[in-house]
Each structure stands twice: as structure tokens, then as C-alpha cells.
């Protein structure tokens, strides 16, 4: 097998850098599209934003540093997003926690039903 030439290594490095920039651009466009679609009915904006954020965070050291700064400043806001960025995301748990959080912010205590539904299902043995 012939030895790898210096020009081959340079070409590989150039292709890797171009692929990284392309993934950064695609990730940025997905984040932008997610933000633009978010006000429309349906949950399509959140998955687009998360996929774009995954691409950007995996390919940009600067973006990772900024994400860590925001995470340290606002851990309660970023924690659900971090759970969705894992290899095997806990989508249902995150959605449930966010529903509870939104219900707590918007509705008065006597109108909240999500916790009562969960407790009644748990008593019946349907939810662990």
C-alpha cells in the first residue's frame, strides 16, 4: 500500500474544515428556521432548533464556551435543553416537566390539573 503523501493530508484537513463550516452554516440555518417556525401552531420549531443547536455545538468550540456560560448563568432554563441534547434524550420527561412548569406559571393553583391527573393515574397503577 502506498504511503500517504503530504498533499493527501492537506486535502483531508481542508475537506474536514470545509465540512465543519458547512455543518455550522446548516446548524445556524436550522436554528433560525426553528425560531421563525416556533410561533406557528404545532411543535415543529423546537425540534428544528435543537437539531441546529446540536450541529453548532458539536462543530464550534466558541459556541460550546458560550453555551456553558449561559448554562452557568441560567441553569434552570438550560437544563431541559441539555437533557434533549444527550445521546438518548428523555423527550417525554422533559415535555412533562415543561408542561408542569408552564401550568404553574400561567394557572392559579385551583385550576391546575396535570399533577392531579398524574396522581390519579399513579393510584390506578398505569404510571410508574
Amino acid at each position: 500500500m502506498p504511503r500517504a503523501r503530504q498533499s493527501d493530508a492537506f486535502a483531508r484537513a481542508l475537506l474536514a474544515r470545509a465540512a465543519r463550516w458547512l455543518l455550522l452554516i446548516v446548524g445556524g440555518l436550522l436554528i433560525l428556521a426553528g425560531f421563525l417556525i416556533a410561533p406557528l401552531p404545532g411543535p415543529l420549531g423546537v425540534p428544528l432548533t435543537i437539531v441546529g443547536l446540536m450541529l453548532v455545538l458539536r462543530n464550534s468550540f466558541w459556541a460550546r464556551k458560550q453555551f456553558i456560560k449561559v448554562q452557568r448563568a441560567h441553569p434552570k432554563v438550560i437544563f431541559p435543553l441539555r437533557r434533549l441534547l444527550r445521546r438518548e434524550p428523555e423527550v417525554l420527561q422533559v415535555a412533562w416537566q415543561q408542561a408542569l412548569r408552564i401550568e404553574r406559571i400561567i394557572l392559579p393553583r385551583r385550576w391546575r390539573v396535570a399533577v392531579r391527573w398524574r396522581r390519579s393515574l399513579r393510584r390506578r397503577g398505569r404510571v410508574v
Side-chain angles (χ1 to χ4, degrees):
M1 183 155 27
R3 277 182 30 209
R5 296 184 185 153
Q6 209 172 17
S7 61
D8 292 341
F10 177 73
R12 274 193 215 104
L14 190 63
L15 278 175
R17 185 171 287 176
R20 173 172 275 161
W21 276 102
L22 181 66
L23 287 172
L24 279 171
I25 291 169
V26 169
L29 289 174
L30 285 174
I31 291 171
L32 183 65
F35 280 129
L36 293 175
I37 292 174
L40 298 177
L44 191 58
V46 174
L48 275 178
T49 304
I50 290 173
V51 169
L53 192 59
M54 286 171 57
L55 287 173
V56 170
L57 290 176
R58 288 187 185 238
N59 292 299
S60 172
F61 183 72
W62 176 84
R64 274 187 237 147
K65 283 176 61 173
Q66 296 302 316
F67 186 75
I68 290 170
K69 282 182 183 178
V70 172
Q71 175 187 338
R72 288 184 181 150
H74 308 285
K76 287 186 177 181
V77 174
I78 298 296
F79 181 69
L81 184 59
R82 286 193 59 229
R83 285 178 70 185
L84 291 173
L85 289 173
R86 293 178 183 167
R87 285 190 189 271
E88 295 183 17
E90 304 162 335
V91 176
L92 290 177
Q93 291 89 347
V94 171
W96 178 255
Q97 285 180 347
Q98 294 307 309
L100 289 175
R101 192 174 282 170
I102 289 170
E103 186 180 57
R104 194 176 334 135
I105 291 171
I106 295 174
L107 297 176
R109 184 177 291 258
R110 60 192 157 118
W111 289 357
R112 296 181 197 163
V113 294
V115 174
R116 282 182 276 171
W117 287 345
R118 181 171 175 259
R119 286 181 185 152
S120 69
L121 288 174
R122 191 175 256 190
R123 273 187 240 127
R124 293 179 189 159
R126 295 184 182 165
V127 177
V128 178

